[in-house]
Each structure stands twice: as structure tokens, then as C-alpha cells.
Amino acid sequence: MEADKDRSAAKRGTLEWITAVVMFLLGVLVMVDSVRVGIRWAEDGPQAGYFPFYIGLLLCLSSLWNLAKNFLGKTVAQKSFVGRGALKLILAMLVPTIVYVVLIGWIGFYLSSILYIGFFMIWLGKYSWTRSAAVSGAVIVCTYLMFEIWFRVPLPKGPVENLLGLA
């Protein structure tokens, strides 16, 4: 059982290759969109895509450099990047956070945050439902007062805020 936790979930070289390809594609996207808005030097200075184009070009070149290093250096590629036990811990935080971000778009920031804080308090912190509800509610009330009232920065609202007249 313990040996299974130590087994490699991903090799370093594989993840470096994936990262380099994704960053290369991101660089290409930046360059293409920069060409769309203009990359030349106009009479009044650089066009809107001038600097982003070169940033995208540097991103593509550095990604190609990383790909070349990955293909030439096989010793690093075989090293484990993360073990299965550590990957489970990472995913235990990552998956609920992704769900939280998606929920903000559907039900708004405040209700999503109450659910997110409460979930982690109950699941990882092993706190009671009542304590989790009290703390997550208090945090959201403080957040509402700070951002919406004092700083006047509106946060994404959902159907609950609309029903309460807070939107």
C-alpha cells in the first residue's frame, strides 16, 4: 500500500513536453491575434499588437528550446515529477477549486464561497456543520462589507443575491 503511494504518477520529461507544447500554442495564439490588431510601427508609435507579438515570439522560441532540451536530455526525462500520494493531495485541492470557479459563474461569488469554505472546513478540517456554517457565513459577510460597501467593487452575483435585492 505504501509503495503504491511512492510510485510515480507522472515523469518529469512528459510534463515538461506537455508544458512546452501548450506554451508554444499559447505563443502562436498571441502572435496571430497581434497580427490581427497590427504589429507595425505607426506614425504615432507602435500599434496595439507590436509588443504582444514579440512576447508571443519569445514564448514560442523558449518553448522550442525547452522541447529540444527535453529530447536531448533523457536523464531528466526519466525522473519522477510527482508520486501518486502527492498527486492525490494536489487533486484534493485542485478539483474543488475548479468546481468553485465554475460555480461562481452560475450562482455568484457569495454563495459559491460559502459552499467552498464550508466544504473544506468539513472535509479537510473535520469541523462541525454549525461551526463551518458560522465561519463561512461570517467570512462572506465581511467580504461583502469590504468589497461592495467600503471599496464599491462589485463581485459576480447569482440568483440568491437577486432574490435578496443585493444585485
Side-chain angles (χ1 to χ4, degrees):
M1 183 73 165
E2 191 66 35
D4 189 43
K5 282 186 176 180
D6 293 337
R7 282 186 42 216
S8 178
K11 298 287 184 201
R12 181 174 166 185
T14 304
L15 293 179
E16 285 183 2
W17 184 86
I18 291 170
T19 302
V21 168
V22 168
M23 295 309 289
F24 179 83
L25 293 174
L26 180 65
V28 169
L29 178 67
V30 168
M31 290 171 59
V32 167
D33 197 50
S34 295
V35 169
R36 183 184 61 81
V37 296
I39 61 169
R40 302 209 186 285
W41 196 272
E43 291 178 17
D44 59 343
Q47 292 178 319
Y50 183 82
F51 291 110
F53 177 82
Y54 289 106
I55 298 296
L57 180 63
L58 286 172
L59 197 56
C60 287
L61 292 174
S62 62
S63 297
L64 290 174
W65 175 263
N66 285 334
L67 278 171
K69 276 183 23 181
N70 191 24
F71 284 124
L72 296 176
K74 292 297 180 189
T75 56
V76 171
Q78 298 306 320
K79 290 184 180 177
S80 175
F81 180 76
V82 66
R84 291 178 187 248
L87 183 61
K88 285 181 184 178
L89 292 174
I90 293 167
L91 292 176
M93 296 298 292
L94 180 65
V95 172
T97 303
I98 291 171
V99 171
Y100 167 65
V101 170
V102 169
L103 282 177
I104 289 174
W106 287 344
I107 62 176
F109 175 79
Y110 297 107
L111 183 58
S112 297
S113 296
I114 287 173
L115 295 173
Y116 183 70
I117 294 168
F119 172 76
F120 273 109
M121 285 186 72
I122 292 167
W123 184 46
L124 293 179
K126 307 294 186 217
Y127 290 100
S128 68
W129 283 88
T130 54
R131 180 173 285 181
S132 300
V135 170
S136 59
V139 167
I140 296 310
V141 167
C142 291
T143 303
Y144 177 80
L145 291 173
M146 185 173 19
F147 284 99
E148 301 280 344
I149 304 299
W150 297 326
F151 295 147
R152 298 187 189 276
V153 176
L155 296 175
K157 308 286 189 307
V160 172
E161 289 89 352
N162 289 333
L163 289 173
L164 295 174
L166 300 174

